[in-house]
């Protein structure tokens, strides 16, 4: 008699996560780099493809689910958080990623985004921030800078831009990070950290739209400015940045950060150090903007808190243990009900 010994499922590769759809993004779009890194990281999660779901709203970034060989749902404008929440409540064991853009996530979807973050639903939110509406051909978005001249703001936008990291922190997200499409190792490391976080993770990805807002993050791409503009956050370390021969550091003067040359630092032990569990420190970092300050990249904030779906399931079990299983029909007919009779 022959016996069959069960073998472990073969490890998936990046190729296993590439769908048969050709991406419909413009040549040079930052979305290609993002897709490439996401597909690369997926096999290392050790999760079968059928347990991974990508949910998006509307916009260039939201075409993402078509290009992932996982389950996916291209939903309606701004509503990806609601679909993702529903899915996690019904199937908490699934790994859910949500893809949105600065237009989708912070205009029509801003309300939903706030609530999915404050509830700590265990989904990973990837916000592609190109500071413009790309799909609808270049109108100013909630993240466009004041004075932005576009077809919908020919005299320059009068709006103040939203700072996504500051909003995510204010919404009580338990993991908040920022990365950039052209720094692939940094993006990959940040994505891995977000994927490993138990709870809602918010990752802002600064992304280039070469057609409608080219080089909106150019200071982080240009070799001449990159080292001055990029502040890589490292937990437990001081905020050092700049070229090797001109290192600078951020230190706190009261609650206000100031940039000083490293050479002026007398006692490095007294420097302000990054603490990913400190919400106040994260809030200060979220306000730093180029060119007054370097742009912080990395994990701003990372804390543990029970996930929404776990608390909902636990509450349901507790109530059922006390009161027994519910009866939907009885509930619907409880209280004041009326029979409408035909004359
Ligand atoms: Fe990418 Fe911009 Fe083209 Fe959209 S419009 S696909 S964001 S380059």
């Amino acid at each position: 008699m022959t016996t069959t010994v069960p073998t472990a499922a073969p490890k998936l590769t990046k190729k296993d996560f590439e769908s048969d759809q050709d991406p419909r993004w413009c040549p040079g779009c930052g979305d290609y780099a993002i897709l490439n890194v996401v597909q690369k990281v997926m096999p290392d999660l050790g999760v079968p493809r059928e347990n991974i779901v990508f949910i998006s709203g509307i916009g260039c970034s939201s075409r993402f689910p078509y290009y992932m060989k996982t389950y996916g749902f291209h939903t309606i404008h701004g509503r990806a958080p609601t679909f993702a929440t529903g899915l996690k409540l019904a199937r908490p064991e699934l790994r859910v990623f949500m893809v949105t853009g600065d237009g989708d996530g912070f205009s029509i979807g801003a309300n939903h985004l706030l609530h999915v973050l404050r509830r700590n639903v265990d989904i990973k939110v990837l916000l592609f921030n190109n500071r413009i509406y790309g799909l609808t051909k270049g109108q100013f978005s909630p993240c466009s800078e004041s004075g932005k001249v576009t077809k919908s703001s020919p005299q320059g936008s009068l709006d103040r831009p939203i700072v996504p990291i500051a909003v995510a922190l204010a919404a009580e997200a338990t993991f908040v990070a920022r990365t950039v499409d052209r720094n692939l190792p940094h993006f990959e490391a940040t994505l891995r950290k977000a994927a490993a976080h138990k709870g809602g993770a918010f990752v802002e990805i600064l992304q280039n739209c070469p057609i409608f807002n080219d080089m909106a993050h150019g200071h982080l791409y240009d070799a001449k400015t990159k080292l001055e503009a990029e502040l890589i956050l490292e937990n437990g370390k001081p905020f050092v940045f700049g070229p090797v021969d001109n290192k600078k550091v951020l230190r706190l003067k009261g609650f206000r950060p100031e940039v000083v040359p490293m050479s002026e630092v007398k006692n490095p032990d007294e420097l302000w150090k990054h603490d990913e569990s400190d919400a106040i420190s994260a809030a200060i970092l979220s306000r730093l903007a180029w060119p007054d300050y370097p742009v912080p990249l990395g994990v701003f904030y990372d804390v543990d808190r029970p996930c929404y779906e776990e608390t909902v399931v636990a509450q349901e079990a507790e109530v059922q243990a006390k009161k027994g299983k519910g009866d939907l029909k009885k509930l619907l007919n409880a209280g004041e009900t009326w029979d409408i009779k035909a004359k």
Side-chain angles (χ1 to χ4, degrees), residues 12-174:
L12 298 174
T13 64
K14 174 174 182 285
K15 199 129 199 65
D16 293 312
F17 286 90
E18 295 171 3
S19 82
D20 58 1
Q21 301 293 302
D22 287 333
R24 300 266 174 93
W25 290 315
C26 310
C29 177
D31 292 1
Y32 289 100
I34 299 171
L35 177 65
N36 190 43
V37 170
V38 172
Q39 287 169 334
K40 184 178 170 205
V41 166
M42 283 296 118
D44 299 335
L45 301 186
V47 179
R49 279 180 310 191
E50 60 272 23
N51 283 352
I52 300 176
V53 188
F54 276 78
I55 297 182
S56 67
I58 295 294
C60 296
S61 59
S62 290
R63 300 191 57 77
F64 211 87
Y66 295 115
Y67 311 136
M68 294 298 299
K69 203 167 178 185
T70 61
Y71 279 104
F73 199 174
H74 187 183
T75 73
I76 46 180
H77 207 192
R79 268 57 178 187
T82 62
F83 287 83
T85 303
L87 183 61
K88 270 309 263 190
L89 286 176
R91 297 281 308 276
E93 77 281 12
L94 297 181
R95 295 294 288 272
V96 179
F97 290 80
M98 196 196 105
V99 176
T100 182
D102 49 308
D104 182 65
F106 280 111
S107 54
I108 193 167
N111 176 30
H112 301 298
L113 193 54
L114 288 183
H115 296 296
V116 82
L117 293 176
R118 80 178 169 89
R119 285 174 175 150
N120 199 32
V121 184
D122 184 15
I123 65 170
K124 315 304 159 205
V125 178
L126 308 181
L127 175 99
F128 296 22
N129 184 4
N130 53 25
R131 309 191 76 182
I132 202 83
Y133 280 97
L135 190 75
T136 47
K137 309 210 179 320
Q139 300 81 6
F140 68 101
S141 85
C143 294
S144 296
E145 64 276 19
S146 302
K148 182 88 185 160
V149 174
T150 69
K151 289 169 199 155
S152 56
S153 55
Q155 306 304 322
S157 161
L158 299 173
D159 300 2
R160 270 188 75 80
I162 277 175
V163 179
I165 296 286
V167 174
L169 289 167
E172 301 287 338
T174 55

Side-chain angles (χ1 to χ4, degrees), residues 183-224:
N183 187 339
L184 300 184
H186 186 269
F187 177 30
E188 185 179 327
T190 307
L191 183 61
R192 286 182 192 282
K193 286 180 193 166
H197 176 74
K198 182 89 179 91
F202 176 86
V203 181
E204 178 190 22
I205 306 162
L206 305 179
Q207 175 244 329
N208 196 38
C209 169
I211 305 299
F212 296 111
N213 205 16
D214 197 20
M215 292 292 152
H217 312 295
H219 45 283
L220 293 169
Y221 302 155
D222 187 335
K224 288 196 205 87

